[in-house]
Amino acid sequence: MADQDGHPDRDEFDLSSILHALSDANRRSVIVQLAEEPDGTEQLCTVFGLPWAPSTRTHHFRVLREAGLVRQRDVGNGRLTSLRRSDLDAVFPGLLDQIVGADRKGRADKS
Amino acid sequence: MADQDGHPDRDEFDLSSILHALSDANRRSVIVQLAEEPDGTEQLCTVFGLPWAPSTRTHHFRVLREAGLVRQRDVGNGRLTSLRRSDLDAVFPGLLDQIVGADRKGRADKS
């Protein structure tokens, strides 16, 4: 069962929720940036260079969290975010890398 | 440029639109069913076994069409739908098969 912060267990992962979370280019950018870091890297929400106001940011990170894409934990004044790569790769093998790769290609084709 | 029926050209394909179109389980089911048929197969919109009212069906097929996932053409009283596999595979290689595979796995895990 999802914990109090809305992190789903692996057996609750839902493809529709994952694709919905990744259908927003800015939310997808968070995942692409995390995927470029070594596994387990935690980042403050402010480092992703996104155009979100704080309230909007809260919403978008909740969408990512509730889809199972990221894990978040509070530290002092901030919140650290990490990619749930091993969980994602266990439930939908290859999907994360495929979408990260498609995102890079999409940006390259447009530039 | 997209034609009058809203079919985008390959260079207009947008990953966000594709993921959004596929984030709905029923819309994704259309694509999964088409992907199981030989390339170029055309199906009437009514064969997919979906719970949509006609007006809703029109909306959902437009989302699929405008994302570049399907091509549609009118015939007599109906409309034939086919998967744009070669276009999708050219723009985002592997993405379609990956999501179709993830959809099958998601259904199997839940059954």
Side-chain angles (χ1 to χ4, degrees):
Chain A
M1 217 180 86
D3 66 15
Q4 60 183 5
D5 291 324
H7 294 109
D9 288 338
R10 283 186 186 184
D11 62 5
E12 296 172 305
F13 278 26
D14 173 66
L15 182 60
S16 294
S17 303
I18 290 172
L19 296 179
H20 168 69
L22 294 172
S23 72
D24 177 272
N26 285 321
R27 286 197 298 258
R28 199 165 62 243
S29 167
V30 170
I31 301 305
V32 170
Q33 290 181 62
L34 286 170
E36 285 167 350
E37 302 292 330
D39 273 5
T41 298
E42 294 180 302
Q43 299 277 24
L44 284 168
C45 298
T46 48
V47 305
F48 297 103
L50 295 167
W52 296 328
S55 62
T56 314
R57 193 168 70 205
T58 300
H59 161 74
H60 285 301
F61 274 96
R62 187 175 67 238
V63 172
L64 290 171
R65 201 169 65 236
E66 292 182 352
L69 286 161
V70 303
R71 189 172 294 284
Q72 294 193 295
R73 64 185 182 96
D74 292 324
V75 282
N77 291 331
R79 183 166 253 204
L80 289 172
T81 301
S82 58
L83 185 63
R84 294 181 66 177
R85 175 182 281 284
S86 61
D87 290 334
L88 289 161
D89 285 348
V91 178
F92 294 117
L95 182 67
L96 176 67
D97 285 333
Q98 181 72 49
I99 291 177
V100 167
D103 183 87
R104 288 202 192 102
K105 183 169 188 303
R107 286 170 202 265
D109 288 349
K110 281 176 184 170
S111 66
Chain B
M1 215 182 90
D3 67 15
Q4 60 182 8
D5 291 324
H7 295 110
D9 287 339
R10 283 185 185 183
D11 62 4
E12 297 173 305
F13 278 26
D14 172 67
L15 182 59
S16 294
S17 302
I18 290 173
L19 296 179
H20 168 69
L22 294 172
S23 71
D24 177 271
N26 286 322
R27 284 196 300 257
R28 199 165 62 244
S29 166
V30 170
I31 301 305
V32 170
Q33 290 180 64
L34 286 171
E36 287 168 350
E37 302 293 330
D39 274 5
T41 298
E42 294 181 301
Q43 299 277 22
L44 284 168
C45 299
T46 48
V47 306
F48 297 104
L50 295 166
W52 296 329
S55 63
T56 314
R57 192 168 71 206
T58 299
H59 161 74
H60 285 301
F61 274 95
R62 189 175 64 238
V63 172
L64 290 171
R65 200 169 64 237
E66 292 182 353
L69 287 160
V70 303
R71 190 173 294 283
Q72 293 192 296
R73 65 185 181 97
D74 292 325
V75 283
N77 290 329
R79 183 165 253 202
L80 289 171
T81 301
S82 58
L83 185 63
R84 294 181 66 177
R85 174 182 284 283
S86 61
D87 291 333
L88 290 160
D89 286 348
V91 180
F92 295 117
L95 182 66
L96 176 67
D97 286 333
Q98 182 72 47
I99 291 178
V100 167
D103 183 86
R104 289 202 190 103
K105 183 170 188 301
R107 287 170 201 264
D109 288 350
K110 282 178 182 170
S111 64

